[in-house]
Amino acid sequence: MPLLKLGYQYLVNHILTLTLVPVMAAVAVELLRLGPGEIVNLWNSLHFDLVQILCSSFFIVLVATVYFMSKPRSIYLVDYACYKPSVTCRVPFATFMEHSRLNLSNNPKSVEFQMRILERSGLGEETCLPPSIHYIPPTPTMEAARGEAELVIFSAMDSLFKKTGLKPKDVDILIVNCSLFSPTPSLSAMVINKYKLRSNVKSFNLSGMGCSAGLISIDLARDLLQLHPNCNAVVVSTEIITPNYYKGKERAMLLPNCLFRMGGAAILLSNRRSEKWRAKYRLVHVVRTHKGADDKAYRCVFEEEDREGNVGISLSKDLMAIAGEALKSNITTIGPLVLPASEQLLFLVTLIGRKIFNPKWKPYIPDFKQAFEHFCIHAGGRAVIDELQKNLQLSAEHVEASRMALHRFGNTSSSSLWYEMSYIESKGRMKRGDRVWQIAFGSGFKCNSAVWKCNRTIKTPTDGPWADCIDSYPVHIPEVVKL
């Protein structure tokens, strides 16, 4: 059966080659059978008029000009940098639970609930929270939140400038996304002030768009780079934890306390042709799916006050089911763009069979492993990774980067995809021509995808968030860690 499937895939995916090669071979054989004199006579029998030649030449030039002018500009990911928190920000399980007992001393059931969540979360002992959350009780002030934002964003930006040699005056487009912390002046203005960017820089600040906002920022940068030639765009993705620590006792709102941790990333995109030779990746596709028209999807991740007036993020019990529906919509759109012909044909045949013959036929799930070598699934939690691994029929190695990023850094929101990409690079697995699929979910409810193609074989980096621990990964993550 495996050999039969391989034969089918090879036949369908190379049908044009298998058809054209025999035809071209037959033409070549016939030409060889003709003598030199017959070939000359055949050429002389063709009459070319000067006007026809000029018109044909003009038409060819016109078509070529229209094609090259309408062709989208190539968008390159030159490099990126991830913020690595200081060891002083670590929150081992014992520390987290001790603080929970002190902060929720009047509600032991909430403490027990958080312990059960942490035991099954997939997080490790090295994840980090900002300094203000380490206080008892936490001090989520505006000043502390700005301090965290400056620490995370400026550290990532400094690292990006150092890695790429980019100067602040060379930044043409700046996009900062942070879902829950949206101060005035904006975070993008904070970056402009710090690095003294040009007065004509095109800056954008995205808020309230959840964990998938990183890919929305990439999509916005792509659109802007299509409009403006010879430009550099810097995208900063983060989530500021300080002002969003929930101090109440609603279980649906306590979940984010257990999962979200410090993190951020800065990414340099460019449409300059000169960057092609040193860029790490080329952007191939961005596909965005929004299910906000459905009331359940809209409210499944919702910021609100509890009965006691404490503000928090409420996660619905229907979250995984809604995420599954959003994923189906997204892969229905991205499938025809990336899947080989053999998978598209099987999917089409199954779909027609279900519509015409038997609706109970099991739907065919395309094999996305034929379209991508690497998968970066948003490390939103263990359940999210498990669900996507099951739905997409991925191996343990395909989701390794997501599980290890969750274990080492926790859910860093929109920046988690870049910690996963860095993990793959640090393992020395990213080769020239490899295709990467980034998948992220966010409030609203959204499922967004980005497809990258590796521009060059990437050497194992000596810096970055994994530099001091990559040799100890992957690690075994038990189903339950008893605390």
Side-chain angles (χ1 to χ4, degrees):
M1 190 65 180
L3 289 175
L4 184 62
K5 186 175 181 180
L6 284 173
Y8 160 77
Q9 291 171 352
Y10 186 85
L11 177 64
V12 175
N13 294 336
H14 299 85
I15 188 69
L16 286 177
T17 303
L18 295 174
T19 303
L20 289 175
V21 167
V23 172
M24 293 174 66
V27 171
V29 169
E30 287 298 320
L31 286 174
L32 290 173
R33 288 175 60 186
L34 295 173
E38 292 177 297
I39 294 176
V40 172
N41 292 334
L42 181 63
W43 175 260
N44 292 333
S45 66
L46 300 174
H47 299 285
F48 293 103
D49 184 82
L50 181 61
V51 175
Q52 290 177 334
I53 294 173
L54 290 174
C55 288
S56 300
S57 301
F58 175 76
F59 179 74
I60 292 171
V61 171
L62 178 64
V63 170
T65 303
V66 171
Y67 171 76
F68 286 109
M69 288 185 67
S70 61
K71 185 180 179 182
R73 291 189 178 93
S74 294
I75 309 300
Y76 299 104
L77 192 163
V78 180
D79 212 334
Y80 62 95
C82 297
Y83 166 70
K84 184 178 180 181
S86 167
V87 292
T88 58
C89 295
R90 282 181 62 235
V91 278
F93 292 161
T95 303
F96 185 90
M97 291 312 306
E98 182 64 21
H99 285 207
S100 294
R101 290 187 187 97
L102 293 171
N103 291 325
L104 300 170
S105 57
N106 296 326
N107 198 334
K109 288 187 177 180
S110 293
V111 176
E112 184 182 345
F113 172 74
Q114 284 192 309
M115 184 172 71
R116 290 203 308 270
I117 294 298
L118 200 62
E119 288 176 338
R120 296 163 174 79
S121 65
L123 272 67
E125 298 275 5
E126 300 292 325
T127 62
C128 296
L129 284 171
S132 62
I133 305 300
H134 288 258
Y135 289 104
I136 301 173
T139 56
T141 63
M142 176 63 77
E143 182 183 4
R146 284 188 188 276
E148 182 194 348
E150 291 173 356
L151 174 63
V152 173
I153 294 174
F154 294 166
S155 297
M157 289 285 289
D158 288 344
S159 181
L160 181 70
F161 285 142
K162 182 179 179 181
K163 291 173 77 171
T164 61
L166 184 74
K167 305 296 182 185
K169 65 181 178 61
D170 296 327
V171 178
D172 304 292
I173 299 166
L174 173 67
I175 303 171
V176 180
N177 70 263
C178 179
S179 187
L180 295 174
F181 181 56
S182 184
T184 299
S186 67
L187 295 176
S188 59
M190 183 185 79
V191 173
I192 291 171
N193 176 258
K194 164 69 175 178
Y195 294 100
K196 311 304 177 189
L197 302 187
R198 302 197 318 260
S199 60
N200 64 342
V201 66
K202 297 172 179 61
S203 67
F204 301 84
N205 197 94
L206 306 183
S207 63
M209 306 196 80
C211 298
S212 66
L215 296 186
I216 296 174
S217 297
I218 295 294
D219 188 35
L220 175 59
R222 178 192 64 171
D223 291 345
L224 291 167
L225 289 171
Q226 290 298 333
L227 291 173
H228 304 284
N230 203 38
C231 284
N232 293 316
V234 172
V235 172
V236 180
S237 295
T238 188
E239 189 59 78
I240 303 306
I241 307 296
T242 295
N244 304 303
Y245 185 84
Y246 176 64
K247 295 177 288 185
K249 55 186 180 183
E250 290 291 331
R251 292 190 173 188
M253 295 182 174
L254 285 169
L255 276 168
N257 286 1
C258 301
L259 298 176
F260 282 87
R261 298 292 187 265
M262 289 179 78
I267 304 101
L268 173 59
L269 301 173
S270 181
N271 58 13
R272 296 182 176 181
R273 291 184 179 179
S274 58
E275 298 289 8
K276 176 181 178 181
W277 309 110
R278 70 162 180 157
K280 284 186 171 181
Y281 304 94
R282 179 174 62 85
L283 182 60
V284 182
H285 301 292
V286 179
V287 174
R288 293 168 55 183
T289 305
H290 206 302
K291 307 294 284 186
D294 179 76
D295 290 342
K296 282 188 176 181
Y298 171 69
R299 293 192 64 91
C300 73
V301 180
F302 208 79
E303 185 178 18
E304 58 186 350
E305 295 174 328
D306 64 13
R307 297 171 189 172
E308 299 173 355
N310 297 304
V311 177
I313 305 297
S314 177
L315 302 181
S316 167
K317 293 180 179 178
D318 300 323
L319 177 59
M320 293 314 303
I322 291 166
E325 290 300 317
L327 176 66
K328 287 179 184 177
S329 299
N330 194 271
I331 63 177
T332 300
T333 305
I334 202 172
L337 300 175
V338 299
L339 286 170
S342 58
E343 291 300 304
Q344 294 192 48
L345 181 60
L346 283 174
F347 180 79
L348 179 64
V349 169
T350 307
L351 182 65
I352 293 173
R354 281 165 54 83
K355 293 286 186 182
I356 298 176
F357 301 108
N358 188 355
K360 294 183 179 180
W361 276 10
K362 186 178 179 181
Y364 179 72
I365 300 174
D367 185 4
F368 280 94
K369 297 187 291 294
Q370 291 191 44
F372 305 104
E373 283 73 34
H374 309 287
F375 296 80
C376 294
I377 299 166
H378 166 52
R382 185 179 216 146
V384 174
I385 301 171
D386 288 346
E387 189 70 16
L388 263 73
Q389 181 179 6
K390 177 183 174 183
N391 287 342
L392 298 177
Q393 298 177 350
L394 303 178
S395 67
E397 185 175 341
H398 286 123
V399 296
E400 182 183 311
S402 301
R403 293 196 190 281
M404 298 308 111
L406 179 65
H407 180 271
R408 175 62 183 83
F409 297 101
N411 179 353
T412 58
S413 190
S414 57
S415 63
S416 67
L417 299 172
W418 302 105
Y419 288 92
E420 295 164 23
M421 191 90 95
S422 180
Y423 178 88
I424 298 170
E425 292 179 5
S426 298
K427 281 294 182 182
R429 297 173 183 172
M430 196 68 76
K431 309 298 181 186
R432 181 179 179 180
D434 283 1
R435 299 154 296 178
V436 187
W437 187 14
Q438 292 181 325
I439 315 168
F441 298 94
S443 57
F445 189 84
K446 301 179 284 290
C447 176
N448 299 325
S449 292
V451 177
W452 304 89
K453 189 168 185 178
C454 188
N455 212 34
R456 57 182 172 82
T457 298
I458 297 173
K459 297 179 180 179
T460 304
T462 56
D463 56 0
W466 297 94
D468 63 344
C469 63
I470 191 63
D471 292 337
S472 62
Y473 280 90
V475 298
H476 171 66
I477 304 174
E479 290 294 323
V480 179
V481 178
K482 279 298 177 183
L483 302 181

